[in-house]
Amino acid sequence: MAKKYLKEWNNELNICIRCAYCFEGCPVFKVTGWETDTARGKTILAYGVVSGELEPSQYIADKLFQCTYCRDCSERCSANVSVVDILAAARADLVEAGFASDTHKGMAKNVKETGNIFGDKEIKAPTQQGDVPVFIGCQYLARPNQTKMYLKILEKLGVKPLIKDEICCGYPLHALGFRKEFEEHKKKFLELYPEKDIVALCPTCAAYIHEEYGKNVKHITQAILEHLPEKNLGLKATYHDPCDLSRVMGITEEPREILKKLGVEIIEMPQNRKTSQCCGGGGGILMSDVNLSDDIASLRIKQAIATGAPLLITPCPTCEQVLKKAAAVMKEKGNGSIQVKNLNDIVWKALKS
Amino acid sequence: MPITKDSVRKLEDIVGTDNIKNDIADLYIYGSDSSVHKALASVVVRPTKTEQVQAILRYANAELIPVIARGSGSGMSGQAVPIDGGIVMDMKKMNRILEIRPEDMLCRVEPGVVDDDLNRALKPHGLFYPPAPASSRVATIGGEIANNASGIRSVKYGATRDSVLGMKVVLANGDLITLGSNTRVEASGYQLDRLMVGSEGTLGIIVEATLLLKPIPKFRCLARANFDKLKDAGESISEIIATGALPSMLELMDNIAITAVNTTLKMGLPDVEAIVMFEADGKVKETVDAEMKLMKEICEKHNGYGIEMSYDTAIRTKLYAGRKKLFAALSRYQMGLSCTSLADDMAVPYSKMAECASKIHEIAKRNNVVMTAYGHCGSGCMHTKILMDPTKKEQWEGAKRAVEEVYEYVRSVGGTTSAEHGIGLSKAPAWKKEKADSLAMLKAIKKAFDPNNILNPHKLQDAPEDWFSATEIRYPVE
Ligand SMILES: Cc1cc2nc3c(=O)[nH]c(=O)nc-3n(C[C@H](O)[C@H](O)[C@H](O)COP(=O)(O)OP(=O)(O)OC[C@H]3O[C@@H](n4cnc5c(N)ncnc54)[C@H](O)[C@@H]3O)c2cc1C
Ligand code: SF4
Ligand code: SF4
């Protein structure tokens, strides 16, 4: 196997001091308990592959794909190792060597053919002229009611969104190792969005457009906070920080301030803000390893239920989806209940009242 | 004996199919720790109860298969590296806190409990388990006992050995023994529980530990003092201890450590030869005030200046941030250099602290590597790391000489090879020189506990004479 992409990370692999600090918060490790599933385990595998000491195998590929890209490891790392960059490179080499899973291949094909990860030609952005380029993202586009709600919120707050006939931000292609497809897609994306400033609805799109394309990205919560009036909804809730919003974008306070402004009392989970525990929906495992994703989500929902709050609020469509499912399972099993809502529901409720 | 398909089946019968791994990828991962060493495990098993540990050992002892206990593999000297292959026994799933007895100031835990998890559980009782190694977020109680771990607060609260009251141990033949008691003192014959502390998995497998707890102090005050001369910093440390002051932390950072933190993390620490951090804690504020005043005066007497001091948690965190992030900073000290765990922790008498730091700098320069000196100097512990390009053979030659010279100096002043990180493989050659006249006795003790030499073989007194060739090195050396 050629190690075209991984080779560039040789030095980073030597920088890792193998201290195991990345075990502490890794959601995959929390579920399986095997060191192989930690960031250290994965970087050791990457080292083995790049040094030629390990022959690439389906098992190794599976292990390198079993990661939610939550970056909890990098947050706690002794040596600031860019674990997800190493993984993305390893995945790219593995994909080129033919180790991509069928579901991931299907996703890449979908993006190429339809512009969205679902391969659904009916999914279309509600294009409109406006002042501020707003990027909706595949997840919200697949939920037209939520998209409408967000756009109405923005309009009510005096922001006029400019919506284009958008295509996927490209993150899934990059994260899942489809580099060639990504490079083509990237060109299209940058042609469509020459603007420097973008507001993004989805935390993952926001983080990716900011990191990969170097744009000034505002997440919708920042845009909302700037214009939001005070209300008193009189609710109690816990707040789940999406990994890309908290750890990558550093946006932890704005959503909390929104909730406070709307009279929502927040009961924090012990793992909050930059040490928030992942919901299990990222990194492609929702597509390729739904059981693992479910197990991770159930750990997080247990933490939410333990706060005693009747409601969990999150601004991420993927977190919302997987946590809703986990909450339903908890309830069915009689292990406590909590309602899961998207932040936009709360904001819309307040603005309507 | 090599591991056969039959052995794997046998082990599967003991721990269940969910608790065994033998794909080459897993064996490769479980073959290394935080040291420079690596090897290949033959099989990884994860017992969940004592009876399984006993069954594994009975089987391994009969078949002469090495068994290497493993916590989180955060050891820095290759203690958990399976030098000859064998069964790597991952203890992390035996992680129940069995009881907390505030009235007796003790708790009983399984060995896979992570130190920080234990302390989180103790907090509502107003208690804590004191050893506090920097790695407490991942280090297991079993690994800490087997290494006699200690940390920033050991100057006041002692090392792991001072916090272990007793334990249950599975011997090489599978027998279960109970050591120690539930009491603070014991004069009941050989202190075998103490012998297990620091035994690095070579004498038995710890399956339960009874630990002594302390009340969480109500007040904590931290100060940071700057010194233009390393020697002055060293003398302050020595005098603080000699006057009978009771710091709960007494740390030193040299200029390389300061530079590393400033350049890589933009911490803005003063560019001085040394920084000393001292802390006092306690139940009565006046007592803490008095301790802090005394230590401050001693630092000032030795030309310490710019002393910042606070009880406030946020300010204390800020004052300590440079020390806390030191590892990250050293790892990024210079592009192309890696931070290797070599000659990484020794202890020297208090009066030799500053001299030891200067020697380390001299030795590093002479051997063309970068070395820093920092550590829990209040307990005599001096840390360093060797920063080098790990791909270059000549850098390893320099590192080898540096390791040897550092330990030669440490021995010459009556210091010891490891303060807290353990001996394993990389420190074994130096340690054997330090313990030259007791090696025969150490070997006899090992033989009495483990006649077939299945427990973590080739470590400590049985380790190879040359650490560099003891195993493969984890870096891509040219
Ligand atoms: C960044 C960093 C900072 C560190 N800071 C400190 C520090 O401040 N102070 C300090 O003391 N150490 C420190 N260490 C070293 C290390 O974390 C400690 O030695 C720790 O106690 C090892 O615990 P572990 O669970 O990782 O054990 P492992 O590394 O897995 O094992 C260590 C040894 O213990 C044996 N062992 C493990 N479990 C058992 C058991 N149940 N029965 C018998 N033997 C067993 C193993 O066989 C091996 O010999 C640090 C390490 C790193 C990487
Ligand atoms: S925390 Fe960072 S340096 Fe430590 S083992 Fe994990 S990736 Fe490596
Ligand atoms: S990114 Fe998250 S899931 Fe992946 S290794 Fe790091 S902590 Fe684990």
Side-chain angles (χ1 to χ4, degrees), chain A residues 90-294:
Chain A
R91 288 170 171 201
D93 283 329
L94 286 163
V95 166
E96 287 191 9
F99 287 103
S101 76
D102 289 342
T103 44
H104 291 167
K105 275 192 242 169
M107 181 280 306
K109 192 164 163 265
N110 289 345
V111 174
K112 192 175 171 141
E113 288 174 359
T114 64
N116 65 66
I117 55 171
F118 305 106
D120 186 344
K121 288 195 179 115
E122 301 300 309
I123 292 180
K124 284 267 172 250
T127 50
Q128 64 177 52
Q129 288 306 315
D131 308 326
V132 185
V134 170
F135 185 80
I136 297 168
C138 302
Q139 292 289 355
Y140 277 124
L141 282 178
R143 293 166 224 202
N145 288 344
Q146 287 210 342
T147 304
K148 254 188 241 152
M149 201 186 284
Y150 259 142
L151 297 181
K152 274 200 226 157
I153 289 171
L154 285 175
E155 269 165 30
K156 257 200 181 251
L157 296 176
V159 181
K160 206 151 180 284
L162 161 67
I163 315 270
K164 305 192 184 192
D165 188 13
E166 63 178 60
I167 53 170
C168 171
C169 69
Y171 163 80
L173 294 175
H174 191 258
L176 297 176
F178 296 93
R179 288 291 169 98
K180 282 186 195 133
E181 293 81 347
F182 169 72
E183 288 306 327
E184 276 173 35
H185 188 86
K186 180 177 174 177
K187 259 192 232 137
K188 280 196 231 161
F189 184 90
L190 290 176
E191 273 164 25
L192 190 59
Y193 288 98
E195 297 89 348
K196 191 83 188 142
D197 299 302
I198 293 182
V199 172
L201 302 196
C202 164
T204 302
C205 303
Y208 191 70
I209 296 170
H210 167 67
E211 273 202 322
E212 182 63 31
Y213 307 129
K215 306 262 182 206
N216 293 332
V217 182
K218 257 192 201 152
H219 181 249
I220 181 88
T221 48
Q222 294 172 299
I224 289 176
L225 184 63
E226 279 171 19
H227 304 278
L228 191 70
E230 295 210 359
K231 296 274 170 168
N232 190 2
L233 292 174
L235 295 172
K236 250 189 201 174
T238 190
Y239 173 76
H240 167 77
D241 293 89
C243 305
D244 284 316
L245 204 59
S246 57
R247 280 188 278 272
V248 184
M249 299 286 283
I251 300 175
T252 56
E253 300 317 304
E254 292 86 338
R256 286 178 170 81
E257 278 172 38
I258 291 177
L259 292 173
K260 271 185 216 152
K261 249 185 160 175
L262 299 181
V264 181
E265 184 194 334
I266 304 172
I267 310 174
E268 296 286 359
M269 290 180 261
Q271 282 95 338
N272 61 58
R273 296 180 167 83
K274 291 208 163 189
T275 60
S276 170
Q277 192 175 302
C278 176
C279 72
I285 67 164
L286 197 53
M287 283 179 260
S288 57
D289 204 338
V290 72
N291 292 340
L292 177 61
S293 171
D294 287 349

Side-chain angles (χ1 to χ4, degrees), chain A residues 21, chain B residues 74-79 115 130-136 139-162 197-200 249-251 320 323 327 341 343-348 353 374-385 407 410 415-424 426-427 431 434 460:
Chain A
Y21 282 16
Chain B
S74 68
M76 292 172 136
S77 319
Q79 300 97 311
D115 185 314
S135 52
S136 61
T140 62
I141 297 298
E144 288 184 12
I145 295 176
N147 270 317
N148 193 15
S150 56
I152 49 169
R153 302 230 153 75
S154 296
V155 56
K156 176 166 178 180
Y157 296 99
T160 298
R161 82 163 163 242
D162 304 301
V197 179
S199 62
E200 300 188 3
M249 180 205 294
L250 187 52
E251 295 281 316
Y320 190 64
R323 172 68 181 88
F327 223 137
S341 295
D344 47 298
D345 92 309
M346 44 264 171
V348 291
M353 278 292 158
Y374 63 99
H376 322 312
C377 294
S379 46
C381 163
M382 179 68 85
H383 283 327
T384 180
K385 295 279 172 297
Y407 286 128
V410 167
T416 190
T417 314
S418 174
E420 52 182 38
H421 294 170
I423 298 300
S426 55
K427 298 200 194 81
W431 175 76
E434 180 194 329
L460 292 166

Side-chain angles (χ1 to χ4, degrees), chain A residues 16-22 40 77-79 81 83:
Chain A
C16 166
I17 54 165
R18 300 195 176 174
C19 63
Y21 282 16
C22 48
R40 178 172 80 176
C77 178
S78 295
V81 174
V83 178

Side-chain angles (χ1 to χ4, degrees), chain B residues 37 97 161 208 245 247 304 318 351 364 446:
Chain B
H37 301 283
I97 296 172
R161 82 163 163 242
E208 190 185 303
K318 213 168 140 221
S351 63
K446 165 75 175 166

